[in-house]
Amino acid sequence: MTLKKTMIAAGTLMALAAGIALPQSAAALDAKQKEEIGAFIKEYLVANPEIMLEVQEALSAKQRAKQQQASQAAIANNKKAIFNSAYDVVLGNPKGDVTIVEFFDYNCGYCKRALSDMDEIVAKDKNVRFVLKEFPILGPDSLAAHKVSAAFRLIAPEKYGDFHRALLGAEERATEETAIAVAAKLGVTEEQLREKMEDDPNDASVREAYMLANDLGITGTPSYVIGNEAVYGAVGAAEISGKVANMRECGKTVC
């Protein structure tokens, strides 16, 4: 391959890696030239496979940035529904200076492990407002358990924190039956729950959670909203607390 073709091939490779449109001179190569350049690119990548990791990392970073831009716009457009929905429960300090919103499912294993993160944050930071947003996405049992949970909240809101910890912290799968059993231990009967579930089936709450999750790019649980950022996955108490500290320092999760 001539020096000129080698330079074109290298330039083509870099353009492909960077996602840049090829210049007309490269795009207009004949079939033989394209075959030679293709062989060069293959040879180069085989000899330097680490470049593909760099390309993948760059692509992932670009996708994350795009996702965060979209979620920030969604947060700005849905502040009331995200942070002050009538369907949600607030733990911690109701008048706290920073709000953490958690989307969770009672059958999510990661949510079960993240329960201790919530308890640690609320115990250590007396000025955090922690919002629980029920987001049943793991099948009919989850939806049934969340319907019981919503009814319990309406009947005994002062006991919801205990109900939430007991049901989410249980080893067995959350179902309508197990949720009713937890409620009974806290003094709310099955008859009371079923009456409330019939009067208020919780459909609007679930629809709102699904709509917000779609706008925010949330596809799994737990996921959080803190200030101007959507946080995906069980990232741990330390990372969440760090974002809370940044909110207090500069009004953003990343200063």
Side-chain angles (χ1 to χ4, degrees):
M1 185 181 289
T2 66
L3 177 60
K4 179 179 179 181
K5 289 180 179 177
T6 301
M7 293 176 66
I8 292 175
T12 301
L13 180 61
M14 288 187 290
L16 291 171
I20 301 172
L22 295 177
Q24 182 61 32
S25 59
L29 296 173
D30 61 34
K32 184 178 180 180
Q33 290 171 325
K34 290 179 181 177
E35 183 178 350
E36 290 177 344
I37 290 173
F40 172 83
I41 292 173
K42 179 179 179 181
E43 179 183 348
Y44 182 85
L45 291 176
V46 170
N48 302 275
E50 63 276 5
I51 193 173
M52 298 307 297
L53 294 176
E54 294 176 13
V55 171
Q56 182 59 47
E57 289 173 2
L59 176 61
S60 297
K62 185 175 181 179
Q63 290 174 332
R64 287 194 299 269
K66 184 177 181 181
Q67 184 182 43
Q68 281 299 339
Q69 288 177 352
S71 65
Q72 286 173 1
I75 292 170
N77 293 332
N78 296 282
K79 283 187 175 180
K80 183 176 180 180
I82 293 171
F83 297 105
N84 293 288
S85 173
Y87 303 120
D88 300 334
V89 169
V90 177
L91 300 183
N93 185 349
K95 296 182 179 180
D97 64 342
V98 177
T99 297
I100 302 167
V101 178
E102 179 184 353
F103 287 73
F104 73 95
D105 184 302
Y106 278 119
N107 281 313
C108 164
Y110 293 105
C111 298
K112 290 179 180 295
R113 289 193 283 276
L115 178 60
S116 61
D117 295 334
M118 180 195 74
D119 283 337
E120 178 181 337
I121 292 167
V122 170
K124 290 183 176 179
D125 191 332
K126 300 303 182 182
N127 210 22
V128 159
R129 181 175 176 268
F130 206 109
V131 173
L132 294 172
K133 194 172 290 290
E134 302 200 13
F135 182 44
I137 56 173
L138 297 177
D141 282 343
S142 289
L143 184 58
H146 279 278
K147 284 182 178 292
V148 175
S149 174
F152 182 93
R153 177 183 64 82
L154 293 173
I155 296 168
E158 73 285 356
K159 297 180 180 180
Y160 180 86
D162 293 332
F163 175 92
H164 173 74
R165 290 180 175 90
L167 186 58
L168 186 58
E171 292 185 1
E172 71 269 19
R173 183 169 180 79
T175 64
E176 180 180 89
E177 182 180 0
T178 62
I180 288 174
V182 169
K185 291 179 180 179
L186 293 169
V188 176
T189 67
E190 180 175 351
E191 182 180 4
Q192 289 175 299
L193 290 168
R194 294 200 179 280
E195 182 179 353
K196 183 59 67 176
M197 288 162 65
E198 184 175 350
D199 291 341
D200 188 345
N202 192 37
D203 294 339
S205 171
V206 172
R207 283 197 299 269
E208 181 180 86
Y210 288 169
M211 179 273 291
L212 290 173
N214 182 67
D215 288 351
L216 292 165
I218 292 173
T219 58
T221 52
S223 289
Y224 305 87
V225 178
I226 306 169
N228 63 321
E229 182 183 356
V231 180
Y232 309 99
V235 297
E239 183 168 337
I240 293 173
S241 295
K243 293 181 184 297
V244 169
N246 286 341
M247 284 295 299
R248 290 176 177 141
E249 181 178 344
C250 66
K252 298 183 294 183
T253 56
V254 179
C255 293

